[in-house]
Amino acid sequence: MAKRSNLLKGMDTFPDLSWPLVLSVFYRNLKVFGKTWKASIMFNFVEPMLYLWAMGFGLGVYVTRINGLSYIEFLAPALIASSAMFSTTYEMTYGSYTRMGFQKTFHGMVATPVSMDDVVMGEILYGTFKGVLYGMVFFLVVALFGLVKSPWALLIPVPLALMVMIFAILSLIWTSIAPNYDSFGYFFTLFVSPMFLFAGVFFPVENLPPGIRFLPWLTPLYHAVEAIRPMVLGRVTWSILADLTWLTAFAALTMRIPLAMVKNRLIQ
Amino acid sequence: MIVQGIDVISVESLVKRFGDFEAVKGIDFSVTRGECFGLLGPNGAGKTSIVKMIYGFSPITSGKLEVFGEDIMLRARSIKSRIGVVPQEDNLDPELSVLDNLLVYAGYFRIEKHTARQRAMEIMDFMDLSEKSAQVVGDLSGGMKRRLTMGRALINRPELLILDEPTTGLDPYARHMVWQRLRRLKEAGTTMLLTTHYLEEASQLCDRLIIIHRGEIMEQGTPVGLIDRHVGKEALILGGDHLLRESLSAGLTELIKASHILGDDLVLFTDHGRVLAERVGERARELGITLDYHRLRPTNLEDVFLKLTGETLDNIQKGF
Ligand SMILES: Nc1ncnc2c1ncn2[C@@H]1O[C@H](COP(=O)(O)OP(=O)(O)OP(=O)(O)O)[C@@H](O)[C@H]1O
Ligand SMILES: [Mg+2]
């Protein structure tokens, strides 16, 4: 398995980061985003809106109250998290793959004082920014529907940022080994969609069969939803801290991996 | 900062392996300050592999490589801040305008905003792109993109400019313009490493060059020196039947420096073109051979290149 050890080569070294240059990479992506955001924000926005209408107002009529909440009250805060998740994941798969491969943007950057670690860290920052932005835009919609019940909701950028940072990291790991664009289909089918469906967005995880009830606990989306929902509804308890800790620890422990893997993919 | 007498690039027994395949097989050369140094060779010779190691993109397999007297792998950031790179494949930001491309790139060198703007303006002027300043790069023609890539490499006022086939895809006018600009940069003291398939380009720009074939150096010298050594002053090109042509040159060996077959033509290299042409003509009449055509022209670097790389290809085919 020589191949496997090559994928992770350099994992045990300290990353070569210069934060001003990480920001210059972030800024580059932001600048491009500035040219295209109108179209892209619409797309990312329409889908959770459709879910809100179809599920919240359509299906919700048939659903009895969940933990004392109407279905739309239960659903809407979680869709903030999932819409953030999708926007980051799309950006860090299709978007990053294009910059890494077809456009050779990364190649151009590392011919300057920017290091490959700076490039990937800049990507993670950008993915995080984009997720938080899209999540917060959806938050505004939820607020317009009158579903935001508490000023605690102003803190949701914290769990959002932690969660989308994790999705940036995981997506970039996949991107670093993706042979082509088609392979991202598997990523979404195998990981992202199941999370969307079973990590407590649409129904409480207690409704899962007992044998697999632990599975959502392993996903970042579950912990983000567990933090965001009480914040929006004003039902904050100490257990949120456990979720935030889980998210922070996961991000911190995995951060090094995509830095090594993207570098090993590109530098031969 | 500028230390006289130290080579800008110094390469010893440099090897690059991709898996089992050895793309660069232990080469040596050095580039001195202010010089334009050429890397020539057919497709797949290993030019880009060498260039990528020099600007720190790809790690060396073995050997020694120093840029500005330092190991690029250990001092990557400081060395790269003094280099400009024109890669073989463009990697501009297609969504951004010409100006923004330059400004964003300046950010990677941490050039202060005001200075960056000023330099961007100068560069667009220098590369004849001022009119396109606001245009999105995705909508530029291929040649304009190439010019922008080259301009972008100048944003940090590099001491060393690395150009991997800079003029590929340019029209003749644009190519001459670029040559002229490169000459100006050279006069201003910029050291250059240039790979190219245009031998004319190498003759015009390079002080010294190496010809690489399958990862090894086949020949090196100045353009004039190489022409002189390998092909002499003129080339006599003979069209017509192969075997008959061979008999024409028989007995004229003292006049012929070298010869090779290029497509359907036999090319004779000589320092005494006029005499050789007359003698070949006489012999043709004596032997009753009709030549389809014969033509005398000055030799150029392309002749050297074709002769050298052609010979090796022949040898390989013959199993040497
Ligand atoms: N990443 C890589 N993995 C495997 N082989 C490679 C890689 N990069 C280059 N090679 C091989 O190394 C050899 C030299 O390639 P290189 O790109 O250096 O040639 P070149 O002289 O620049 O050619 P060209 O004139 O076509 O640009 C080729 O046989 C190429 O297939
Ligand atoms: Mg090349």
Side-chain angles (χ1 to χ4, degrees), chain B residues 295-312:
Chain B
R295 190 157 61 79
L296 191 63
R297 64 158 172 79
T299 50
N300 56 39
L301 200 54
E302 191 150 321
D303 294 318
V304 180
F305 184 86
L306 289 172
K307 179 180 165 250
L308 290 176
T309 55
E311 270 170 11
T312 330

Side-chain angles (χ1 to χ4, degrees), chain B residues 47-48 88 164-165:
Chain B
K47 304 180 295 295
T48 300
Q88 183 168 0
D164 197 354
E165 300 191 25

Side-chain angles (χ1 to χ4, degrees), chain B residues 3-17:
Chain B
V3 188
Q4 290 294 335
I6 289 187
D7 290 328
V8 173
I9 302 172
S10 151
V11 169
E12 278 174 35
S13 322
L14 184 65
V15 172
K16 180 70 201 182
R17 218 174 282 131

